[in-house]
Amino acid sequence: MFGHDELAGMVDTFGALDRAELEQACSETAFRRGEEFDEDAVETAIDDAIEGYALVEYDGRLVSGPAAFPTLPDGAEDLPHILDVERRDVSREAVASAVAERFEREVHEAILTGDEAACADLLDLSYEVESWGPVALGNARDRLDAELDS
């Protein structure tokens, strides 16, 4: 129904949304597009976007993440007028710090389990995270490189 970038685009329009607000935005957008709203599919899409770093959970809200290219989907142009949600500014530094902590945990787990595919994916993602927010992931990248070289 909605891809990662479209979910991030809806969130980005407001700065941040909680999960219920994003689901409502998806429902309204589906309605405007003449599509049936599938709540289970949207919940799964949101979970997948979080897992894939396209959305970031922070302080009870969802924020556009480092792996997203936020794109407002067709039918979502009027969301600021439809939803009763003010624009929210979230500290990029605080969100980036939370993302870096999650990233470090996932690096540790991937190395601990010897998951080469996860290590390679995380290595690629490290550059996106660094360019997205003010964090330094060089040490994690070195550990991933070492694991992939072994």
Side-chain angles (χ1 to χ4, degrees):
M1 176 172 271
F2 295 102
H4 293 181
D5 294 338
E6 292 175 316
L7 292 170
M10 286 186 265
V11 167
D12 206 44
T13 298
F14 297 94
L17 292 174
D18 67 29
R19 191 179 192 100
E21 291 166 340
L22 179 54
E23 289 174 5
Q24 182 182 3
C26 291
S27 174
E28 294 289 347
T29 301
F31 175 78
R32 293 176 94 35
R33 294 179 356 178
E35 298 175 359
E36 185 151 337
F37 177 68
D38 183 341
E39 185 175 353
D40 291 336
V42 167
E43 287 177 8
T44 299
I46 292 170
D47 290 339
D48 290 346
I50 292 167
E51 184 177 324
Y53 286 83
L55 292 176
V56 173
E57 288 182 290
Y58 178 75
D59 199 25
R61 294 197 175 128
L62 298 169
V63 180
S64 177
F69 294 98
T71 305
L72 197 60
D74 290 338
E77 301 81 14
D78 291 330
L79 284 177
H81 306 292
I82 296 169
L83 297 182
D84 187 23
V85 176
E86 295 291 322
R87 175 142 184 92
R88 298 171 178 141
D89 293 318
V90 179
S91 165
R92 176 67 78 179
E93 292 80 16
V95 175
S97 178
V99 168
E101 289 174 20
R102 173 186 167 195
F103 183 85
E104 290 285 350
R105 285 191 306 273
E106 290 183 9
V107 166
H108 176 75
E109 183 66 25
I111 291 172
L112 186 67
T113 61
D115 187 340
E116 288 187 23
C119 286
D121 289 344
L122 288 165
L123 184 61
D124 289 342
L125 180 63
S126 70
Y127 297 103
E128 293 176 41
V129 173
E130 281 186 332
S131 67
W132 174 79
V135 295
L137 300 176
N139 289 338
R141 201 168 17 260
D142 290 345
R143 292 179 12 241
L144 289 166
D145 276 331
E147 178 67 20
L148 290 169
D149 287 343
S150 64

